[in-house]
Amino acid sequence: RAYLVPLGGSSLQLVSRLCHGPSEHYLGLVQTALGDPREGLRLQRIALARCEAARGRPAAVRIRVAMARCLAAIGSTEACAEAAASLEAARREAVELGLQPLVDAIDAGRVRVAAVHDAALALGNDVAASAGAPGRGSGTVLPFARGSTAAGGRRRLAAANG
């Protein structure tokens, strides 16, 4: 985190001049992994605006998926509904761009987002509070690197998925 914060407002590039997108995207991933999905979401929204301004459609698709991950980690009924909408938008654009591996990953993750959303509806309140972890969300439920969630998040996810 300390290395990424000073890079806010810039794009990360390799020596080969390959752009990996806004630094806020990566900082948002770190914030979410550290248990602050609301800050992660704020950063992902900044990253998405920068990608859209630069017409970086493939990076914008990845950022929409990351936004859905943040929203699902927040765990409220509204956040889960927004996560599903974000995933749907990302999937449509991924199909249009021919990003089939990302489409497959989104399709695999949708079932889990729906399960968390259904659990939130059934409880009638914030999934995180019901799970005894106020403000922590329901854990990572989208297809990203394995091991990126805390053990508690995995247990809540397993409970939500039955």
Side-chain angles (χ1 to χ4, degrees):
R1 180 174 184 259
Y3 293 109
L4 289 174
V5 170
L7 299 175
S10 65
S11 293
L12 302 179
Q13 297 180 333
L14 295 174
V15 176
S16 65
R17 298 181 192 252
L18 175 65
C19 182
H20 291 278
S23 57
E24 289 85 0
H25 169 61
Y26 298 97
L27 185 55
L29 293 175
V30 170
Q31 287 299 118
T32 302
L34 291 174
D36 190 357
R38 293 180 197 285
E39 177 63 9
L41 179 61
R42 185 188 74 78
L43 291 162
Q44 295 300 350
R45 287 187 170 146
I46 292 169
L48 181 61
R50 290 189 56 222
C51 274
E52 288 175 343
R55 296 187 181 129
R57 291 177 66 199
V61 171
R62 288 191 341 266
I63 291 167
R64 281 189 183 92
V65 173
M67 285 175 60
R69 179 183 185 198
C70 294
L71 288 158
I74 291 169
S76 69
T77 302
E78 297 80 17
C80 288
E82 189 178 342
S86 182
L87 272 182
E88 187 57 39
R91 187 185 188 287
R92 275 193 308 272
E93 192 152 5
V95 167
E96 187 177 317
L97 294 171
L99 303 173
Q100 192 58 47
L102 186 54
V103 171
D104 294 342
I106 290 169
D107 288 344
R110 282 169 134 183
V111 174
R112 290 176 287 204
V113 170
V116 172
H117 181 252
D118 291 346
L121 287 174
L123 293 172
N125 61 18
D126 186 12
V127 172
S130 297
R136 287 297 306 245
S138 60
T140 303
V141 296
L142 299 180
F144 273 84
R146 293 175 198 216
S148 63
T149 59
R154 284 192 293 272
R155 283 192 299 274
R156 287 189 301 277
L157 175 59
N161 284 329

